[in-house]
Amino acid sequence: MSFAYLTIRDRLPQILTKVIDTVHRNKNKFFEDNGEEGVEAEKKALSFFSKLRNEIQTDKPVLPLTDNQSDTELWNQYLDYQKTLLNKGETPSWFKSPWLYVECYMYRRIQEGLVLSPPISEYDVFREGKTESFFQSQPAIIALCTYLQELKNNVANLSENQKKEELSKLLQVCLWGNKCDLSISGGLDNSQKFSILSSLESFMPFILVNDMESVWAVLSGSKNLESGKELMKRVDIVLDNAGFELITDFVLADALLSLRLASEVHFHAKCMPWFVSDTTKHDFNWTIKHLQAANHKWMSKCGVNWKENLQRSCWIYHEHLFWTLPHEFCMMAQTAPDLYSELQKSDLVIFKGDLNYRKLTGDRKWEFTVPFFQALTTFHPAPLCSIRTLKADVQVGLKPGVGEQLSSNEPDWMISGKYGVVQLSTSV
Ligand code: F6P
Ligand code: MG
């Protein structure tokens, strides 16, 4: 049985059941905020979500969206496109459509259910889980914030080699932080319970593609040889999950500035709740605000510094609806040319997480040894690096025999999150 099949059969209905439970539990809150209208909206949303779960479980056709949002037309066009891929008379349905498409579509339908249920349209059904996961990771977050502040205090004394080691360490932290997503666990606790820093060495053998040296080369080649002046480098991070993973991204972004490997970091987040734990604007701001007010010296120092980074515009927040479309990234230049040209301004675009990897590679059944560059097909806006733990069955750029050997020894190596890649493509 494929993981795609199990996802549609078990995982998506399980996530929806949790959504239904969350909305129901918050009935009183909706009443307090909006009176009877809130209670009516809760009922409406609940019946929408139950119907949606039933559509999935009984393999009903994928329906056009009806909520008149700025992306509604694009989704409906994409559905029409899916129809053209089928034989005449056939309709795309939950079990008979590409996995990537219907999985994205489910999260967009959840959004539709809320949009059609005012006044609770802005409610994030996944927020409770994200907040809980953040608090459960508290010790690991403290360890990381403390490490970062020590690094910053000592940065002037570091040799180039030591800087390279620090970058590699923080890239690994960022990588393993991607284990903590709540979609793979069906919304159940998947937080980082202990400091990750002491485990990095023992996790090293599980990094299947390790391009960290080349990432260093991309970022450290910042001296203008003629004038000796440092060039300004821009790094973009296409964020994935809130909670511990987002902290690892912030720590990396802060260290990039302190190590003078970048002068600007641009973050890209989701404009609606997505894949349970993905970062929205609210999560982004809440995290920094919460750290600022934390009762721990180094945590709050991080929060204060990060707020300043945003105020000084050396950290810049972006949102684009393309990130919550089902499209693979090779369609970005035509579907979202403004976003594509924004990314072209970057010196390095870091794509966090598994879903981004699936979209980078078009979620195809590539041979394991196909070069990353080739799997990106036409998507080459700037040098780009995927930092991802394996949670879906696509992987490229492996040495001959590696994928086959793993498949025979560990049947679930591509979906367990145990393995990871830091995989770079420099061709533009
Ligand atoms: O299959 C697991 C899954 O739901 C994938 O569909 C998706 O790519 C991934 O989890 C989400 O993981 P991440 O948060 O790393 O993108
Ligand atoms: Mg995610």
Side-chain angles (χ1 to χ4, degrees), residues 3 11 103 178 181 183-184 240-241 354-355 358 391:
F3 190 51
R11 292 178 50 239
E103 196 172 13
N178 179 242
D181 94 84
S183 97
I184 193 85
D240 187 5
N241 305 301
D354 190 68
L355 177 61
R358 293 173 66 193
K391 289 176 267 180

Side-chain angles (χ1 to χ4, degrees), residues 15-67:
I15 289 168
L16 268 173
T17 301
K18 214 156 182 271
V19 167
I20 291 170
D21 173 62
T22 306
V23 171
H24 189 57
R25 254 189 308 104
N26 279 281
K27 188 175 175 174
N28 288 343
K29 174 187 153 32
F30 300 141
F31 178 71
E32 279 159 28
D33 294 350
N34 306 289
E36 276 308 319
E37 259 188 274
V39 178
E40 283 309 308
E42 180 249 8
K43 276 194 209 145
K44 198 166 176 200
L46 279 187
S47 101
F48 186 99
F49 297 143
S50 308
K51 184 170 164 287
L52 176 59
R53 186 175 52 185
N54 183 267
E55 285 171 30
I56 300 176
Q57 287 172 325
T58 54
D59 193 25
K60 291 281 184 310
V62 172
L63 302 173
L65 296 175
T66 58
D67 57 2

